[in-house]
Amino acid sequence: MTLYEAQKGNSYRIEGLSVEPDITRRLQALGLNDGTVVNVLNRKKHGALIIQVRGTRLALGKHISSHISVKGMKIF
């Protein structure tokens, strides 16, 4: 599943980035690496997604979030 398909209020683990190399490097510098847990905080109009990663809020557009593979986290 992609981050774009993620549901608001849930946590996900990043499994891979498949965007352009420059964007991939920038996202990794912001902490979006394989295995990192992100929380989906909000969805905006036109596909923008607000996430929290390592205590920082980020806004990602549809083009980027639809190319980030994630896996849902089970909460016990």
Side-chain angles (χ1 to χ4, degrees):
M1 113 185 264
T2 65
L3 188 56
Y4 181 72
E5 299 167 326
Q7 298 297 315
K8 177 182 172 182
N10 293 338
S11 296
Y12 299 87
R13 185 175 309 274
I14 295 177
E15 293 188 324
L17 305 170
S18 59
V19 290
E20 295 84 12
D22 291 341
I23 295 173
T24 298
R25 282 192 296 276
R26 180 64 177 145
L27 292 174
Q28 289 173 338
L30 291 169
L32 291 167
N33 301 300
D34 292 355
T36 301
V37 176
V38 298
N39 300 315
V40 178
L41 300 177
N42 206 351
R43 293 185 155 281
K44 297 293 182 179
K45 293 180 183 178
H46 307 294
L49 195 64
I50 309 296
I51 63 169
Q52 183 175 23
V53 56
R54 298 183 179 174
T56 302
R57 291 181 182 189
L58 300 174
L60 301 175
K62 180 179 179 180
H63 171 72
I64 294 174
S65 64
S66 63
H67 289 90
I68 299 175
S69 300
V70 296
K71 184 174 183 179
M73 303 267 308
K74 292 183 180 180
I75 299 175
F76 299 100

